[in-house]
Amino acid sequence: MKFCYFISKAAEAMQFPTYFGANWDAFDECITDLTWCPAERYVILYDYADIFAQAEPTQYQIALDILNSAKEYWEANNIILNFLPLNK
């Protein structure tokens, strides 16, 4: 499942806390927390996003929805979050 791979790699790359539950609710919670790595700007590069999008379009859309919501959350707090899906 590409969804599981995305979740685990995102958690690893963003150094989510050990209590991260490896599901969409936990991803949503952690992506709008990030107290363990405070920054003035966050940039998330996702290489080969098209593989996830093609393999599991519904799950990919959930990821995009969460990331877009997180972007709005951070912008409301005067912090930029950019998500850049890169395709092969």
Side-chain angles (χ1 to χ4, degrees):
M1 294 178 82
K2 300 296 180 203
F3 149 73
C4 293
Y5 184 78
F6 172 83
I7 289 281
S8 70
K9 289 300 179 183
E12 179 184 329
M14 291 183 263
Q15 300 176 343
F16 285 177
T18 56
Y19 62 79
F20 174 65
N23 58 55
W24 286 128
D25 288 337
F27 180 75
D28 186 27
E29 181 182 325
C30 284
I31 200 73
T32 56
D33 182 353
L34 299 175
T35 53
W36 55 91
C37 60
E40 294 179 17
R41 163 180 259 173
Y42 296 100
V43 178
I44 301 169
L45 300 175
Y46 182 35
D47 206 5
Y48 301 105
D50 55 329
I51 293 172
F52 183 17
Q54 291 171 7
E56 296 186 51
T58 302
Q59 297 299 314
Y60 182 72
Q61 187 59 53
I62 292 169
L64 291 180
D65 291 347
I66 291 170
L67 288 161
N68 285 326
S69 292
K71 179 179 177 160
E72 291 173 9
Y73 169 83
W74 287 111
E75 284 177 355
N77 289 283
N78 298 314
I79 296 175
I80 296 170
L81 182 141
N82 289 325
F83 173 68
L84 306 168
L86 307 173
N87 298 319
K88 61 179 180 167

